[in-house]
Amino acid sequence: MGLQGYLRSHLSICALLLSSSASAFYLPGVAPTTYKENDKVPLYVNHLTPALSDKDSQLHSVLSYEYYHDAFHFCRPEGGGKDVSESLGSILFGDRISTSPFELTMMKNETCKRLCDEQKIDQRSAKFVNRRIWQHYNLNWLIDGLPAGQPYTDPSTNTDFTLRGFPLGSVDKEQKAVLNNHYDIVINYHDAGKGQYRVVGVLVVPSSRADSAQDCGNAKSEQTLTLSEEGENPVTWTYGVYWIPSSTAWAVRWDSYLHVFDPKIHWFSLINSSVIVVFLCGMVGAILIRALKKDIARYNKLESFALDDLSGTNGHAEDDVQEDSGWKLVHGDVFRTPKNPLLLSVFLGTGSQLFVMVGTTITFALLGFLSPSNRGSLGTVMVLLYTIFGFIGGYVSARVYKTFGGEAWKRNIALTPTMVPSIVFATFFLLNLFLWAKQSSGAVPFTTMLVILGIWFVISVPLSFAGSWMGFRHAPVNPPVRVNQIPRQIPPSTTYLRPFPSMALVGILPFGAIFVELYFIMNNMWFGKVYYMFGFLFLCYAIMIITTAAVTVLLVYFLLCAENYHWQWRAFSTAGASAGYVFANALLYWISKLSFGSFTSGVLYVGYSLLVSFLFFILTGTIGFFSAWMFVQRIYSSIKID
Ligand SMILES: *[C@@H]1O[C@H](CO)[C@@H](O)[C@H](O)[C@H]1NC(C)=O
């Protein structure tokens, strides 16, 4: 796995983007592999991952292990398993794919084959393996790019589909860990004519056979294999292969994996939340527009009265002028530079970068460019887009900083591409240390880290510098009203306008918009299902943006009416407060769905959740700030000020 692999995957993505495909889901870049009779079909092995337990429906670990971890004593091919080249996203998301000693020959049934010589599993390894069985670990294989799975019938809709992965072992009635040492591999093939065959489905039925050594346990004694933790255990790994003709076409072979668990619930909750959100936004909009119209009309009438007053024709207008209140009063302060303009502009730069990256990624996915058959394409595209959009980050940060009247432009240029990525990278590195300590394969290899650092320094940082340069060259955004010399006194505010209550109130709404989809994404992330409902995600993203903008604008309106002109940070932090709910939701999810035995799993879970929440904070904060800024620009340019 070298730079070449990355380049190749990146090039193929570029090719994918350029060629517009006729099929929405399956890509021209991923051409079918055809096999002739007696051709070898490669079986690759991926990492072992924890799966949901059937008993308590909970996940007991988040660590994954490499297939060739010594303790498992799985058979290796001659010369050891070789790494199969993967895309960057695939590695970041934990795939560790290697070659294997399995020999599958197209159309050749095989009832029992030994994989390698008898292995001796020692006490320590037995303990390790038994623990993994108790934690419901799954094996993940890839045959012709298709994940080996188990058949599953959804009880609520009675539809059959394939769950990825199959169990390492099981726990029997006597509460003993039983190891699966025989695999029946059932492969569906499709006859494409002219003696060409394609793989269109892979199921593995694992079983445990204590007497596997003799004739693959064909004696069918019901004896299962349990590993004793008090002595050495001889284990023989065996497998059988069954080729079954199928009418499934190659182009739709992924369909059985993309099963929506109860789509009705999905639709229902999505429509539910969007109706509430749309209703809410409509209300906010109506209130605001009416109130503003009244305010602006009043202000401008007062203005004309005041002018009349000067010319001495009207006597009673003076009282009305005294009554002048609300947001107009702070016109001389509303564009005053906020505290820490540097930090805010750096956050806003990064936030814009994230905003465009997420939007573009979801759009690509929606258009079918990131099909699940292209492993890791989602991760790769996200990293790549974030890197390229460094330009936007630099530009926004510089322009905002210039508008704030910032002086330390060198620091702004340097911090924009480094600050948030350093925080993310440092957290990632720390969490990786835990994974390394646990010998988990989830740890991102050091070389991959170097490659990411390289991409970041060579592409992202210069692009960001270029963006900053452009941003500083452009004129700042001119405020419609002048800033007074002396800052106004801010009257004490009511409870709900104080930072924390307002954050708690406002933050929940954008969170409400994405809550449902977040739940599905988390399910997919922690339970290894394929997430593909990008249509839903796209809608949710749009609804979230609208909601965030609407509620932040409302908050800023109330703030200004209360004569509090420190709206910049307040808009950012209040909109970003939905990240707090995202984190709380992750903790709730932990309580309800996950039960970790180990400290490391807990640390990792909390660490990754914090990281995601932090990025979400910056993203929503940025959306909130810019909508509030546009709003403030609009309303102050519509009133006359002497
Ligand atoms: C392999 O075995 C299965 C089931 O035993 C059978 O349905 C199938 O036709 C066989 N395939 C070949 C190529 O002989």
Side-chain angles (χ1 to χ4, degrees):
M1 178 71 253
L3 196 61
Q4 239 181 347
Y6 295 129
L7 284 180
R8 205 171 328 134
S9 64
H10 293 171
L11 283 180
S12 72
I13 281 169
C14 293
L16 288 182
L17 297 186
L18 289 177
S19 61
S20 57
S21 130
S23 94
F25 242 98
Y26 301 98
L27 309 163
V30 190
T33 318
T34 49
Y35 300 92
K36 286 191 211 55
E37 204 173 336
N38 293 327
D39 273 358
K40 291 265 176 289
V41 179
L43 187 156
Y44 294 142
V45 288
N46 201 348
H47 58 178
L48 277 82
T49 50
L52 209 64
S53 103
D54 324 319
K55 285 203 198 74
D56 51 8
S57 297
Q58 293 203 321
L59 197 69
H60 295 272
S61 173
V62 295
L63 302 171
S64 51
Y65 291 98
E66 209 161 323
Y67 185 81
Y68 293 121
H69 189 292
D70 289 330
F72 291 119
H73 289 88
F74 288 133
C75 300
R76 294 165 199 249
E78 252 174 78
K82 289 192 184 55
D83 288 348
V84 174
S85 116
E86 301 167 55
S87 70
L88 183 59
S90 172
I91 295 181
L92 283 180
F93 279 67
D95 282 344
R96 301 288 178 271
I97 306 174
S98 315
T99 54
S100 75
F102 290 89
E103 283 176 355
L104 314 183
T105 314
M106 182 51 94
M107 304 272 285
K108 193 160 162 239
N109 275 355
E110 204 102 56
T111 47
C112 185
K113 235 176 146 176
R114 258 165 92 147
L115 208 49
C116 60
D117 296 337
E118 192 177 77
Q119 301 281 315
K120 297 260 189 303
I121 299 190
D122 55 275
Q123 292 171 322
R124 263 190 71 181
S125 300
K127 225 177 222 156
F128 178 89
V129 173
N130 284 343
R131 218 177 131 62
R132 298 290 90 76
I133 294 174
W134 272 98
Q135 291 175 331
H136 296 270
Y137 269 73
N138 263 358
L139 267 67
N140 296 286
W141 292 353
L142 291 165
I143 297 173
D144 190 46
L146 214 53
Q150 303 157 263
Y152 183 83
T153 310
D154 187 345
S156 59
T157 52
N158 240 334
T159 44
D160 296 322
F161 68 102
T162 311
L163 270 181
R164 291 194 295 179
F166 55 91
L168 168 70
S170 54
V171 178
D172 68 4
K173 289 189 201 77
E174 288 143 41
Q175 298 297 306
K176 272 192 179 146
V178 173
L179 178 68
N180 292 329
N181 61 333
H182 177 87
Y183 312 104
D184 280 317
I185 306 169
V186 183
I187 304 179
N188 290 319
Y189 66 91
H190 181 74
D191 189 346
K194 294 187 204 129
Q196 294 187 317
Y197 303 99
R198 291 167 179 171
V199 175
V200 293
V202 180
L203 296 176
V204 173
V205 186
S207 51
S208 179
R209 299 177 177 185
D211 50 1
S212 207
Q214 301 104 36
D215 195 19
C216 270
N218 265 352
K220 286 265 185 301
S221 66
E222 300 280 301
Q223 204 73 26
T224 53
L225 176 69
T226 49
L227 298 184
S228 149
E229 294 178 14
E230 260 95 54
E232 223 173 37
N233 303 274
V235 174
T236 312
W237 304 98
T238 52
Y239 66 102
V241 189
Y242 302 91
W243 296 88
I244 312 235
S246 161
S247 58
T248 310
W250 186 86
V252 293
R253 65 178 190 161
W254 273 90
D255 285 8
S256 68
Y257 293 87
L258 308 179
H259 175 81
V260 187
F261 284 88
D262 217 349
K264 263 191 233 133
I265 290 179
H266 204 104
W267 271 113
F268 179 74
S269 40
L270 181 81
I271 291 172
N272 203 17
S273 69
S274 41
V275 163
I276 292 174
V277 162
V278 167
F279 179 70
L280 194 123
C281 292
M283 228 166 64
V284 168
I287 292 175
L288 260 184
I289 289 170
R290 279 191 60 176
L292 275 174
K293 258 200 183 138
K294 243 169 81 187
D295 289 347
I296 292 171
R298 188 162 59 93
Y299 289 154
N300 288 342
K301 206 164 94 204
L302 282 174
E303 196 67 29
S304 60
F305 271 136
L307 285 177
D308 288 349
D309 205 29
L310 279 181
S311 58
T313 50
N314 204 319
H316 65 85
E318 207 155 304
D319 305 339
D320 285 349
V321 178
Q322 304 271 279
E323 267 173 41
D324 194 355
S325 68
W327 50 269
K328 191 193 171 184
L329 282 181
V330 292
H331 69 81
D333 295 280
V334 76
F335 292 103
R336 197 178 289 290
T337 302
K339 274 184 210 151
N340 289 322
L342 183 66
L343 187 66
L344 185 56
S345 56
V346 168
F347 273 161
L348 291 172
T350 309
S352 316
Q353 201 172 338
L354 279 175
F355 177 74
V356 184
M357 183 270 274
V358 173
T360 319
T361 309
I362 297 177
T363 312
F364 278 173
L366 187 64
L367 295 176
F369 286 128
L370 310 177
S371 89
S373 53
N374 209 352
R375 278 191 97 78
S377 55
L378 186 69
T380 313
V381 163
M382 272 164 68
V383 171
L384 221 69
L385 285 177
Y386 184 80
T387 310
I388 292 168
F389 291 141
F391 184 82
I392 294 178
Y395 180 81
V396 170
S397 171
R399 191 101 192 267
V400 168
Y401 189 60
K402 193 173 178 184
T403 304
F404 286 160
E407 305 269 290
W409 58 273
K410 272 187 205 152
R411 241 188 289 165
N412 173 273
I413 291 179
L415 279 182
T416 305
T418 48
M419 199 176 78
V420 174
S422 310
I423 294 172
V424 171
F425 203 78
T427 317
F428 207 71
F429 190 77
L430 261 176
L431 294 177
N432 232 359
L433 288 183
F434 279 94
L435 287 169
W436 266 322
K438 280 272 170 183
Q439 292 182 309
S440 163
S441 70
V444 174
F446 192 65
T447 45
T448 309
M449 286 218 172
L450 286 185
V451 168
I452 290 180
L453 272 182
I455 292 179
W456 178 52
F457 266 117
V458 173
I459 307 174
S460 190
V461 172
L463 275 176
S464 172
F465 285 176
S468 298
W469 182 76
M470 279 266 286
F472 277 116
R473 282 192 42 138
H474 281 181
V477 180
N478 276 328
V481 284
R482 254 183 306 119
V483 176
N484 288 346
Q485 288 276 302
I486 301 151
R488 256 180 86 92
Q489 197 90 38
I490 298 175
S493 57
T494 41
T495 323
Y496 71 95
L497 277 183
R498 296 217 181 95
F500 283 105
S502 68
M503 277 161 84
L505 276 173
V506 170
I508 200 162
L509 294 168
F511 171 72
I514 56 157
F515 167 70
V516 180
E517 228 40 31
L518 197 66
Y519 177 78
F520 283 100
I521 291 178
M522 300 243 282
N523 260 352
N524 284 276
M525 236 165 62
W526 299 109
F527 302 134
K529 294 189 193 109
V530 187
Y531 185 87
Y532 75 106
M533 291 163 285
F534 292 106
F536 285 112
L537 195 60
F538 189 79
L539 281 180
C540 278
Y541 192 53
I543 291 176
M544 185 197 82
I545 295 169
I546 298 168
T547 321
T548 310
V551 289
T552 316
V553 163
L554 196 64
L555 171 90
V556 168
Y557 176 72
F558 286 143
L559 266 187
L560 295 177
C561 282
E563 293 166 38
N564 184 344
Y565 51 84
H566 290 319
W567 60 272
Q568 292 97 334
W569 273 108
R570 289 294 298 278
F572 187 83
S573 59
T574 312
S578 49
Y581 286 96
V582 169
F583 185 65
N585 180 52
L587 293 186
L588 217 69
Y589 191 81
W590 184 1
I591 293 167
S592 67
K593 284 261 180 167
L594 317 167
S595 76
F596 300 139
S598 78
F599 172 70
T600 317
S601 287
V603 168
L604 286 169
Y605 183 79
V606 172
Y608 283 123
S609 302
L610 267 178
L611 203 60
V612 170
S613 305
F614 174 63
L615 294 177
F616 194 74
F617 170 73
I618 295 179
L619 175 69
T620 44
T622 303
I623 298 171
F625 175 86
F626 281 109
S627 30
W629 194 9
M630 281 195 277
F631 170 72
V632 173
Q633 285 269 357
R634 267 305 282 279
I635 61 170
Y636 282 94
S637 60
S638 62
I639 54 166
K640 289 187 217 119
I641 287 154
D642 23 275

